[in-house]
Amino acid sequence: SINNMVNENITSLLEQEAEAVRNIPVTPGYEEAVSLIVKHVHDLGGKLIMSGMGKAGQIVSWARRCV
């Protein structure tokens, strides 16, 4: 049925996206970036400007609540 095909396509897409995220290399650069943000925003009272649309916008919205 068409619903079954749609569900299979959605499942396949989500699996591909999850695999892409799992393959992002975690490097010391992430820790360095977080340290710089903490230093300049929290310790020195600076501001962090973030923006985005779509998924990136959702991530920015989440991050704003955490920073």
Side-chain angles (χ1 to χ4, degrees), residues 2-59:
I2 189 86
N3 287 339
N4 207 17
M5 286 175 40
V6 169
N7 287 340
E8 288 175 8
N9 286 337
I10 291 170
T11 299
S12 175
L13 176 65
L14 291 173
E15 288 171 355
Q16 291 172 32
E17 292 289 332
E19 184 64 22
V21 170
R22 281 192 291 272
N23 286 321
I24 295 172
V26 178
T27 66
Y30 285 102
E31 185 176 345
E32 182 180 351
V34 171
S35 294
L36 285 170
I37 291 169
V38 169
K39 176 182 176 185
H40 289 281
V41 174
H42 292 287
D43 299 344
L44 300 175
K47 296 191 183 284
L48 178 64
I49 299 172
M50 301 181 290
S51 67
M53 295 175 57
K55 287 181 192 176
Q58 291 173 344
I59 292 168

